Structures are given as structure tokens and as C-alpha cells.
Amino acid sequence: MPHDIVTIPCLSDNYAYLVHARESGETALVDAPEAAPVLTALKERGWRLAEIWLTHHHHDHVGGVARIREETGARVVGAAADAHRLPALDIALPVGARHRFAGAPVAVIGVPGHTVGHIAFHLPGSRAVFTGDSLMALGCGRLFEGTAEQMWASLGRLAALPPETLVFPGHEYTANNARFALTIEPDNAALKTRAAAVEKARAAGRPTVPSRLSEELATNPFLRANLPAVKAALGMAECTDVEVFAEIRRRKDAF
Ligand code: ZN
Ligand code: FE
């Protein structure tokens, strides 16, 4: 792994991440829910912030940008399509772009659904993907702007990454997500094991992130709407993947 990644809990249940390139010493921040914990984490390590990568425009992901930028001079990087509603961008990235950071490629994956301009940042060299409020541990973001069809396609793009990829989401929602997932697949042994581990981690105050993509594929109901067993369990054997995904999302919204 050419990068060290530091998880920073922010606000009540958000995460920001520091991505530190070991060779060059450059550091990027993924999302800026608030400034203080980020500035403290940088100071503790003596790291200089070069870039701030934004997954989407919601306040709990960008609220700290102005102050962090002021204190560090970091460049702000985000989706070109959302430049009108993100903090002022120094680098506006189109979906599918290959950004470079500290000599390493960073792939910009379009993941509309939660918002239409939402992007994920994939670091193939470090087998890490930063997903914001698209794919989350055992869950996915609510559909505030996009359609179920868009989110299902977005999750499909993430699901196609190498299975060993580590998933770094924007929130600690895993315990609630696990309880919901068990209502969809009560007999999924891998899910039961994971749900128990999640409860234990949270009881000890430990983050449940990152998770392995392979783990998500085996246990996250939002990635499993295409499976005949899941469709059958919902009485939707004849339905399309998108219809089943939409039903799981609807149930979660009411959970
Ligand atoms: Zn959001
Ligand atoms: Fe959020």
C-alpha cells in the first residue's frame, strides 16, 4: 500500500479520511465534515495537506472546507458537474477522469443516486475506494436526488472493483444497517457473523470501517438485489434487479 489512510470521526456519525503518500509525504483529505478534528489529525502527524477531495455537496461532507483550506492552502477537488453547489473548486473533475495524486492514479467513478453529482475516488494502487454516501458498510445512501436505477448502476460500478478493495464510506451507520440487513436475509450466515462483529465493535467504540468489498458482496443487501435467493425471500422472484433494489431501499427508508 503506497498510502497510509487515517480514519477521522467527525460530527455525530461522519467520517473523513487522510490519505498520506508514503514516498512524497503529500496528504489528501476525503470529505470535510468539520475542520477541528481534521486539523488536529494533521498536526499530530506533522502532515501537510495538499488536497481536499469531495464526494458530494451535502453540508456534512463540505462544512469544514473553508476553514481547512484557509489553514492549509490545500487545493479543493470535486465533481465538475456539481461545481455550482460545491465549495469553490481548484480542480473540477469529470466523471471517468483519472486524477493524479503524488504520482499515483486516482480514478473518479460516477456514483449518482444519493445526489446526482456524487463521485467516488478509487486508488487502485492502494486498493481503496472512498464512497461517501453511495456504497456504505452493509448499506447505501438514501435516494435524495437520483433514481433507484441510477443507484443500482452506481453500486454495480463499485461492485466491479477488485474484491479485495477496501471501502471507506462517509458514515458510521453499520450497526443499524446490519439490523436491517438481517430482516432481508435472516439466514445469511456471513451476515449473521458480520452483524455480531459490528455490534461488538460499536459497543467498544471502534469504527466498523473500512470494510472489504468481498464482505459487502456477501452481506450487503443493496448489492444483492440481483440474487434469486434474495428476490425469492422478498416474494419478487419475477422482478428485475432494479425493482428489487428499489424495494429494499424503500424498506430501509421505513426501517
Ligand atoms: Zn450526503
Ligand atoms: Fe452524509
Side-chain angles (χ1 to χ4, degrees):
M1 220 212 263
H3 303 97
D4 289 315
I5 298 173
V6 176
T7 300
I8 308 171
C10 293
L11 305 174
S12 60
D13 55 25
N14 277 77
Y15 285 124
Y17 301 98
L18 291 177
V19 178
H20 179 73
R22 289 210 190 119
E23 253 174 53
S24 70
E26 282 169 280
T27 304
L29 169 70
V30 184
D31 281 345
E34 57 178 333
V38 171
L39 295 171
T40 302
L42 285 166
K43 201 169 168 196
E44 279 171 0
R45 292 167 180 79
W47 291 352
R48 193 187 62 80
L49 193 66
E51 296 189 352
I52 303 170
W53 302 345
L54 301 175
T55 61
H56 67 296
H57 73 283
H58 284 160
H59 188 73
D60 63 313
H61 298 257
V62 307
V65 168
R67 180 152 168 240
I68 295 169
R69 189 180 200 282
E70 206 178 279
E71 304 250 341
T72 65
R75 296 181 292 275
V76 182
V77 180
D82 265 348
H84 62 287
R85 57 180 182 174
L86 286 165
L89 298 178
D90 298 294
I91 302 176
L93 298 169
V95 159
R98 247 175 194 259
H99 181 55
R100 281 194 85 77
F101 179 71
V106 182
V108 178
I109 304 174
V111 288
H114 178 71
T115 67
V116 291
H118 201 305
I119 55 175
F121 296 90
H122 178 220
L123 277 77
S126 284
R127 296 179 172 168
V129 66
F130 297 91
T131 56
D133 294 355
S134 59
L135 176 62
M136 301 203 205
L138 283 172
C140 76
R142 269 178 199 260
L143 302 177
F144 284 125
E145 297 180 1
T147 63
E149 197 159 7
Q150 282 176 314
M151 184 61 110
W152 176 247
S154 296
L155 295 179
R157 281 189 279 281
L158 297 171
L161 297 175
E164 68 273 17
T165 304
L166 289 173
V167 178
F168 295 82
H171 288 271
E172 179 61 64
Y173 290 160
T174 321
N176 180 268
N177 287 344
R179 288 191 283 274
F180 171 74
L182 285 167
T183 69
I184 303 294
E185 288 194 278
D187 300 324
N188 179 332
L191 172 58
K192 286 195 269 190
T193 305
R194 187 176 177 193
V198 164
E199 292 292 345
K200 210 172 150 193
R202 293 312 294 152
R206 286 196 310 273
T208 61
V209 299
S211 60
R212 204 57 80 179
L213 181 58
S214 55
E215 239 185 313
E216 297 304 328
L217 292 167
T219 56
N220 186 327
F222 296 98
L223 295 179
R224 295 167 61 77
N226 58 327
L227 299 183
V230 171
K231 290 187 179 185
L234 296 175
M236 299 181 76
E238 306 302 317
C239 295
T240 65
D241 300 350
V242 173
E243 286 169 336
V244 176
F245 170 78
E247 172 61 17
I248 297 173
R249 189 58 257 176
R250 257 193 304 277
R251 291 188 186 204
K252 179 64 167 66
D253 291 347
F255 182 69

